[in-house]
């Protein structure tokens, strides 16, 4: 036989489109050609494949070998096509049977010895392969991550020889099954506990509301008041991840780092980029677009400390993902779309020196300096943050107490999970995702609440976006308190969380 056809997967954003690997061996001068828009890593695979076949004691046909990766207009990158190319050459030259090849999809980078090295994006490829009804053969190191996809049939392998033994019937590849340790992995409970933060009752209440309704939050306060501690403990009060949320987060991390750490399964991501991060680092990019920090925080937390120190252009790129929940990266050759459903937790000082309003009274910043400092954050971005709160300095006596203050994260998480379940059953989404018509349907307050909101709108000059965010936050407060209708008490508390709008 001079033609062999196998199946593999490319990566395009979060998608893993099917790639048909066609191997043709014809008479003529010996040559090895790869066509189908291969990038450098794929072009180099012919040298890896040749060495791997020789070291595995297979024959390389002294003929014209043509590899076609279809469709031709889809860019192909990385070394994951080494394995299907090598198997195609062996099948086309008659060294292994070709009858079972179309039952599987193949991916793996070959070492020169013929062993398999791990690949990037195994989770996304396995998910697509399972929907096609084919089994997936991939390197042993990627098996645990690929098996996270329910109903996927995964066959891990260590080497090219092991796969050939399976195809020839000499030794079957074992189907991957989870170990008892992997089956026991669930939502981890090793987050730092919120009761370790002394004082800051108002901030803890705001974090609980943010966790229940999926709201973004900005904390303003002097250095050392616990803003970073509060943010680091925020994932511990978020509702437990669903299977679908966990799979989305794991797939994104698989695309970025090359493999997903199984120990992080159902653990909400917590990303905290430095304020020198560029716009590309935050939203993603590159000639082959890869996810940035906002996508790596998928279904988790993106913490931006020292918010005004970020470049203003960098901060502005957050505006669209905060509204839409996804980011589209366009390049000359391709376009990729990544999900970006994250909760933004930001922190900033009240002034350039940081001590405006501190009980020490050591701030010497002028009003102009304070205005310029806060002006680094645009009004449209602030409008997209649901909760704006002050985190004041904690009195020294409270800091010197040795007993824990406040509730444990596990107790708060029970309330946020209950409130989140109410939102899903009522509107099939969290309150922060409600559109205008849905706000009118689910968030309208009673008569007293409506009167109070009208007064606040006229006196405090809230924007239309801030108005809708107040209603969303008030709806979450009502859910936490178990009320079906939003009242003036809920509206009043929600108005408190627009501090910067009042100044």
């Amino acid at each position: 036989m001079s033609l062999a056809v196998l199946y593999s997967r490319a990566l395009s954003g979060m998608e893993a489109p099917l790639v048909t690997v066609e191997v043709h061996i014809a008479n003529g001068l010996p040559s090895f050609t790869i066509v189908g828009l291969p990038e450098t890593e794929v072009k180099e695979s012919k040298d890896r494949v040749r060495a791997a076949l020789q070291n595995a004691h297979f024959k390389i046909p002294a003929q014209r070998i043509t590899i076609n990766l279809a469709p031709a207009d889809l860019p192909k990158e990385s070394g994951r096509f080494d394995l299907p190319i090598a198997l195609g050459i062996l099948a086309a030259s008659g060294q292994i049977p070709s009858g079972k090849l179309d039952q599987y999809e193949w991916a793996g980078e070959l070492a020169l010895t013929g062993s398999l090295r791990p690949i990037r994006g195994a989770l996304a490829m396995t998910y697509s392969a399972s929907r096609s009804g084919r089994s997936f053969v991939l390197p042993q190191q990627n098996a645990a991550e690929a098996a996270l996809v329910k109903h996927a049939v995964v066959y891990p392998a260590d080497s090219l020889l092991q796969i050939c033994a399976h195809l020839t019937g000499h030794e079957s590849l074992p189907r991957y099954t989870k170990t008892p340790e992997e089956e026991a992995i669930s939502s981890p409970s090793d987050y730092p506990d919120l009761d370790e933060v002394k004082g800051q009752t108002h901030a803890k209440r705001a974090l609980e509301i943010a966790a229940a309704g999926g709201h973004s939050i900005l904390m303003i306060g002097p250095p050392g008041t616990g803003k970073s501690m509060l943010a680091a403990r925020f994932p511990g009060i978020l509702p437990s991840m669903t299977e679908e949320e966990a799979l989305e987060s794991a797939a994104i991390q698989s695309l970025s780092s090359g493999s997903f750490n199984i120990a992080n399964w159902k653990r909400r991501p917590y990303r905290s980029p430095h304020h020198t991060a560029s716009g590309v680092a935050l939203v993603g990019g590159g000639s082959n677009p890869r996810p940035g920090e906002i996508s790596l925080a998928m279904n988790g937390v993106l913490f931006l400390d020292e918010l005004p120190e970020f470049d203003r252009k960098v901060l502005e790129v957050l505006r669209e993902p905060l509204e839409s929940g996804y980011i589209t990266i366009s390049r000359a050759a391709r376009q990729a779309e990544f999900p970006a459903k994250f909760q933004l937790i930001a922190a900033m000082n009240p002034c350039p020196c940081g001590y405006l309003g501190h009980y020490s009274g050591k701030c010497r910043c002028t009003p102009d300096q304070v205005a310029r400092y806060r002006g680094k954050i645009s009004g449209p971005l602030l409008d997209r943050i649901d909760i704006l709160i002050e985190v004041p300095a904690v009195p020294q006596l409270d800091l010197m107490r040795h007993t824990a203050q406040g509730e444990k994260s596990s107790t708060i998480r029970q309330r946020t999970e209950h409130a989140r379940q109410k939102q899903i059953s009522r509107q099939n989404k969290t309150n922060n995702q409600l559109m205008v018509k849905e706000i009118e349907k689910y968030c309208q307050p009673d008569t007293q609440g409506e009167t109070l909101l009208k007064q606040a709108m006229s006196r405090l000059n809230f924007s239309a976006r801030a108005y809708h965010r107040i209603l969303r936050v008030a709806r979450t407060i009502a859910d936490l308190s178990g009320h079906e209708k939003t009242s003036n008490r809920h509206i009043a508390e929600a108005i408190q969380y627009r501090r910067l709008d009042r100044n």
Side-chain angles (χ1 to χ4, degrees), residues 156-167:
D158 291 313
S159 66
L160 178 64
L161 280 173
Q162 188 181 7
I163 294 173
C164 292
H166 172 76
L167 293 173

Side-chain angles (χ1 to χ4, degrees), residues 319-363:
R319 287 161 54 176
E320 170 130 3
L322 279 172
E323 289 284 334
S324 64
Y326 65 88
I327 183 71
T328 301
I329 301 170
S330 298
R331 294 293 180 265
R334 64 173 70 180
Q335 179 175 302
E337 184 176 285
F338 294 106
K341 297 176 184 176
F342 61 94
Q343 276 193 254
L344 175 65
I345 307 295
M348 63 179 283
N349 294 328
C351 66
C353 78
Y355 290 96
L356 180 66
H358 194 270
Y359 58 75
S360 65
K362 57 183 178 181
C363 176

